[in-house]
Amino acid sequence: MAVPVPPSLPSSIDLSHHLTTVARSRHPSPLKDIIQYMSQPGMISLAGGLPHPSLFPFTALQASAYPSSTVLDTTSPTVPSKSVTLNVPLHTDESSPYSLSSLLQYSAPAGHRALLAFTKELTERLCNPAYSDYTTLLNNGSTDGWNKVCTLLLEPNDYILVEEQIYPSAQASFIPFGCKSVVIGVDGQGAKADLLEQALRGWDESKGRRPHVMYIVPVGQNPLGSTMRAARRKAIYDVCVKYDVVIVEDDPYCMLQFGEYRLGRPTAPAAQTIDVDTFVNLMEKSFLSIDYQGRVIRLDTFSKTISPGARLGWFACNSMFAERLLRGTEVQTQHPSGFSQWGISGYLEWATNLKEQYRVRRDWMMDALAASFDLVPAETAGVNGALGLVAFAKGGAGSAKPLMSFVPPTAGMFLWCDVYYSSTKPFQRLAASSVSQGADSAADADPEGEFEREFWNTLVAANVLVTPGWYYRPWMGDEYKTVKSRGGRPGVGHFRLAFSLEGKTEIEEGVRRLAEVMHREWARE
C-alpha cells in the first residue's frame, strides 16, 4: 500500500510593501558578513578585529542545573539532590561541543547555529507553520525583538492595532515614533474579531493610513490573563488577511498553559508524572499554524521558562522579514547572548512540569479570593458587563454592591480585575462633583482615574501591592486620557494581581489585606 504523500505547503506571499523606509534602506554590514569566512578550514584571518581568546579573563565554566524531569514542591521548593553538570572549556574538546572561545566571541548576527537549529525544531514541534519558507532568528528577548519589529514595520505617526490593555514596555517602543493605538475591545478570550473588522472597515483615512500592524498576546495576556481559542484566532487571522494586516504574535506565556480553575474544587499538588505529548497537543496553537501567507511575526522567549536574565528569544517569520530583521540586528545588537540548553525533549519535559507549578500558584490565588470574598458566576450575578466571577463582600453576595469581577486565567501569571468603583459612596460623590463643575471641566474630569490612584495608595498603606490599571492603557493620544474620552465603562477601574512570585502564605495574606481594604472602603458612607 502506497504511503500517502503529505500535501506541499504554500510559500509566503510578497509582503514587502509593509516595510518601513528604514527597513528597506538597510544594507548588509560588510564586517558582519565577513565573519562567516573566518570559520572556513585553513583560513588565516587578517581581517576582523576580534580579540584573541586568550585575552578573555575566563578559563572554563561549570554550572549545575536541574534535571529536566524535576518536579518541585511548590510550597517549599528545594534544590534537587541530583543535578546535571555543564562544563564549557576554553576550547572545544572531547568533554564538550561548546567552548568559551566561541561563546564569548563575536558571532554571526543570526546567533549560534546550534541554538538556531533548536529554535527551528521547537517552532516546528509547537507551532506547525502553515507555509514552507519560514525561518527563525535569535534576539535578545521579546522586548528587543519587538523593538526591532517596530523599526521594521512602523513609520512615524502610524496607527497600530492593540488589545484593550497593553503591556507598558510594548507601547514604550512605538510611542516615540509618534504612533498611536487603535484599541480593539476584548472579552474573556482577548481581542474580538467583529470589533477588529469594525475598526478597519470604518477607518477614517483623514486620520492617516489605515493600521497595517496588529500587536497581540494570545496566551496569558499581560495584564488581562486571557487566552485565545482556535476559532477566535482563525477569525482574527481572516480579518487581517482581508485588510492586509501583519500580525505580531508576542507569546511569552505559551508554555504556561494549565487549564481551567474549578471553584470549590480542592487544589491538587503539582503532578508527579507528566505526559509531554498530551500537554503539547492540548496547547492553544500559534497563529503560525493557520498562517498560509507568512503575515505572522512570532516572538518567543526563554524568559518565562529558563531565566529572564538570559535575555534570549527568537523570531519565527517569513524569510523576507527575517532577512530585514537580520540587517537591523547587525547594527543594533550585533548578535544574541550565548546560551546552552537541554535537548528538545528535555526542554519540553521541563516546561510541562513547570506549567504545573504555575497552575498550583494560580489555584492558590483563586482559593484565597474564594476564602476572602463571596464569588458568584457572572451569568447569575446580575452585574452588567461582568465576565467570569463576581466578587462580593464576604457574606454579602445578596447585596447590590459588587466589588470586582475577573476571569480565572488558564495560562500565564496574572489575574485582571474589573473593579466597581461606582458601588462606593466616595466615588459617587467624586463623580457628581466632576459633573457639577461645568461642561468644560467635566470633559477633562477623570473620576475613575482619580479614585483609582487614591484607592491604590490606600492598598499600599495596607502593605499590599497590586499593579494599577492605568499602567496598561494603550496610548491613543493626549486627547484620550480620561475613561470617558476613551469610551471606557463609567465607574469601573482595574488592577492586576500576579501569582508568579509570592508563596502560598504570602498570597493568602495579601488577598486577605486586599479584601479587608475593599470591604472597609465599599462600606464607607
Side-chain angles (χ1 to χ4, degrees):
M1 187 179 204
V3 177
V5 178
S8 58
L9 296 175
S11 298
S12 60
I13 65 173
D14 181 9
L15 295 167
S16 58
H17 56 282
H18 286 282
L19 297 173
T20 63
T21 301
V22 169
R24 292 170 184 272
S25 303
R26 294 196 189 279
H27 295 279
S29 169
L31 288 176
K32 302 300 183 293
D33 191 51
I34 205 171
I35 288 178
Q36 63 181 309
Y37 295 100
M38 294 182 181
S39 59
Q40 186 172 312
M43 181 65 70
I44 296 176
S45 174
L46 305 179
L50 280 65
H52 193 275
S54 66
L55 303 179
F56 299 151
F58 303 96
T59 57
L61 176 69
Q62 184 179 84
S64 296
Y66 294 173
S68 62
S69 59
T70 299
V71 178
L72 295 172
D73 180 341
T74 314
T75 304
S76 302
T78 57
V79 176
S81 57
K82 296 181 179 179
S83 63
V84 176
T85 301
L86 174 69
N87 293 293
V88 183
L90 182 59
H91 300 289
T92 302
D93 60 24
E94 65 279 358
S95 68
S96 173
Y98 305 102
S99 68
L100 285 179
S101 60
S102 62
L103 293 175
L104 297 177
Q105 189 58 275
Y106 291 114
S107 68
H112 293 284
R113 291 180 181 177
L115 190 50
L116 269 174
F118 178 89
T119 60
K120 185 73 179 288
E121 184 180 351
L122 189 60
T123 300
E124 183 71 33
R125 175 79 185 276
L126 298 180
C127 303
N128 193 23
Y131 67 100
S132 60
D133 56 326
Y134 83 95
T135 190
T136 59
L137 177 70
L138 301 184
N139 57 50
N140 291 100
S142 292
T143 300
D144 170 59
W146 171 234
N147 269 310
K148 290 171 178 172
V149 171
C150 288
T151 305
L152 181 80
L153 299 176
L154 295 177
E155 296 282 11
N157 303 313
D158 268 354
Y159 286 86
I160 179 170
L161 299 157
V162 303
E163 293 167 282
E164 199 168 281
Q165 307 291 339
I166 185 172
Y167 181 57
S169 294
Q171 64 178 356
S173 296
F174 62 75
I175 289 175
F177 287 82
C179 296
K180 297 177 182 177
S181 300
V182 176
V183 178
I184 307 303
V186 301
D187 61 10
Q189 292 190 48
K192 299 180 68 175
D194 59 334
L195 297 182
L196 174 63
E197 166 109 29
Q198 180 180 314
L200 292 168
R201 183 181 61 244
W203 184 254
D204 180 2
E205 296 286 350
S206 68
K207 297 168 60 176
R209 70 166 170 169
R210 191 175 65 202
H212 69 111
V213 177
M214 182 174 192
Y215 173 80
I216 191 166
V217 182
V219 174
Q221 203 265 13
N222 184 5
L224 294 173
S226 56
T227 295
M228 189 174 289
R229 309 304 183 197
R232 175 70 59 83
R233 293 182 194 234
K234 180 64 165 57
I236 293 283
Y237 182 81
D238 288 346
V239 173
C240 290
V241 169
K242 180 177 179 179
Y243 291 95
D244 191 23
V245 173
V246 174
I247 299 172
V248 183
E249 178 184 30
D250 189 1
D251 207 2
Y253 307 103
C254 70
M255 302 305 295
L256 305 183
Q257 300 185 44
F258 35 70
E260 295 184 356
Y261 174 82
R262 304 288 185 184
L263 186 63
R265 184 178 63 183
T267 294
Q272 296 298 302
T273 58
I274 49 92
D275 186 324
V276 171
D277 290 336
T278 297
F279 170 57
V280 171
N281 291 337
L282 290 176
M283 288 174 62
E284 296 295 339
K285 297 301 184 286
S286 166
F287 276 95
L288 286 178
S289 67
I290 54 174
D291 180 21
Y292 59 89
Q293 293 188 332
R295 66 174 58 251
V296 174
I297 299 177
R298 179 177 169 85
L299 302 177
D300 269 296
T301 180
F302 291 110
S303 292
K304 305 301 185 289
T305 54
I306 302 295
S307 163
R311 304 315 309 145
L312 186 63
W314 71 98
F315 306 97
C317 58
N318 74 51
S319 55
M320 182 275 295
F321 283 153
E323 188 274 336
R324 291 290 88 192
L325 287 165
L326 180 60
R327 298 285 81 85
T329 297
E330 290 172 344
V331 295
Q332 289 172 303
T333 54
Q334 296 197 3
H335 60 81
S337 303
F339 190 69
S340 299
Q341 74 291 314
W342 306 292
I344 290 287
S345 60
Y347 177 76
L348 290 176
E349 183 179 32
W350 165 253
T352 305
N353 281 314
L354 184 66
K355 63 91 177 174
E356 277 291 288
Q357 300 292 318
Y358 283 96
R359 191 267 304 163
V360 172
R361 290 174 175 276
R362 184 277 311 270
D363 290 355
W364 288 345
M365 175 71 76
M366 292 302 306
D367 290 349
L369 289 164
S372 293
F373 298 90
D374 280 349
L375 301 183
V376 178
E379 56 268 24
T380 62
V383 178
N384 186 40
L387 297 171
L389 298 171
V390 178
F392 294 85
K394 202 67 178 173
S399 76
K401 279 194 173 184
L403 278 63
M404 61 183 176
S405 63
F406 46 81
V407 176
T410 59
M413 301 176 172
F414 310 111
L415 181 76
W416 181 252
C417 301
D418 289 349
V419 189
Y420 300 114
Y421 300 145
S422 57
S423 295
T424 73
K425 290 292 182 62
F427 175 82
Q428 293 168 13
R429 288 193 293 270
L430 179 62
S433 173
S434 300
V435 172
S436 67
Q437 292 175 4
D440 292 339
S441 297
D444 296 329
D446 186 23
E448 292 83 5
E450 184 178 340
F451 189 84
E452 186 158 281
R453 284 169 171 80
E454 292 178 1
F455 177 58
W456 184 77
N457 285 326
T458 303
L459 290 174
V460 170
N463 275 346
V464 58
L465 195 62
V466 304
T467 314
W470 74 79
Y471 279 26
Y472 304 100
R473 293 175 184 168
W475 174 249
M476 299 170 66
D478 284 322
E479 65 272 35
Y480 296 103
K481 289 185 175 180
T482 68
V483 168
K484 183 177 181 180
S485 65
R486 299 167 64 85
R489 294 161 63 190
V492 178
H494 311 278
F495 56 71
R496 189 198 73 177
L497 304 177
F499 49 83
S500 55
L501 177 63
E502 300 288 4
K504 184 174 186 290
T505 300
E506 289 77 16
I507 287 175
E508 291 172 345
E509 175 60 16
V511 171
R512 188 198 66 77
R513 294 176 187 178
L514 171 66
E516 185 177 78
V517 171
M518 295 190 77
H519 293 166
R520 183 180 69 243
E521 294 299 309
W522 264 248
R524 285 173 56 193
E525 293 296 330

